[in-house]
Amino acid sequence: MTERIAIEPARPHAHLQPLPDLLFWDAWMSGFFICYGVALAVRCHREHQTQQVQTPEAVSA
């Protein structure tokens, strides 16, 4: 005859605490600065490529 063991969750279920507004503000600001940094890097890269195309190369005579 086998003995049955009651299985309980490893952690007791607790009510979820509401996230503070500051957490959402930090996430939004982080996302904004990441997007701004990527856009700035792309713009600088394109300007650098444009300058290389416009600059005539020195030709040895």
Side-chain angles (χ1 to χ4, degrees):
M1 188 167 164
T2 58
E3 183 180 346
R4 295 192 175 218
I5 301 171
I7 299 174
E8 295 181 13
R11 289 179 276 170
H13 295 286
H15 295 288
L16 295 176
Q17 299 293 329
L19 295 173
D21 292 337
L22 187 60
L23 184 64
F24 291 114
W25 174 254
D26 289 344
W28 185 87
M29 288 300 292
S30 298
F32 174 78
F33 282 114
I34 288 171
C35 290
Y36 180 77
V38 169
L40 186 63
V42 168
R43 182 176 177 180
C44 290
H45 180 69
R46 287 183 181 166
E47 287 181 3
H48 181 68
Q49 284 184 333
T50 304
Q51 286 177 351
Q52 284 181 343
V53 170
Q54 291 176 353
T55 306
E57 294 183 15
V59 190
S60 58

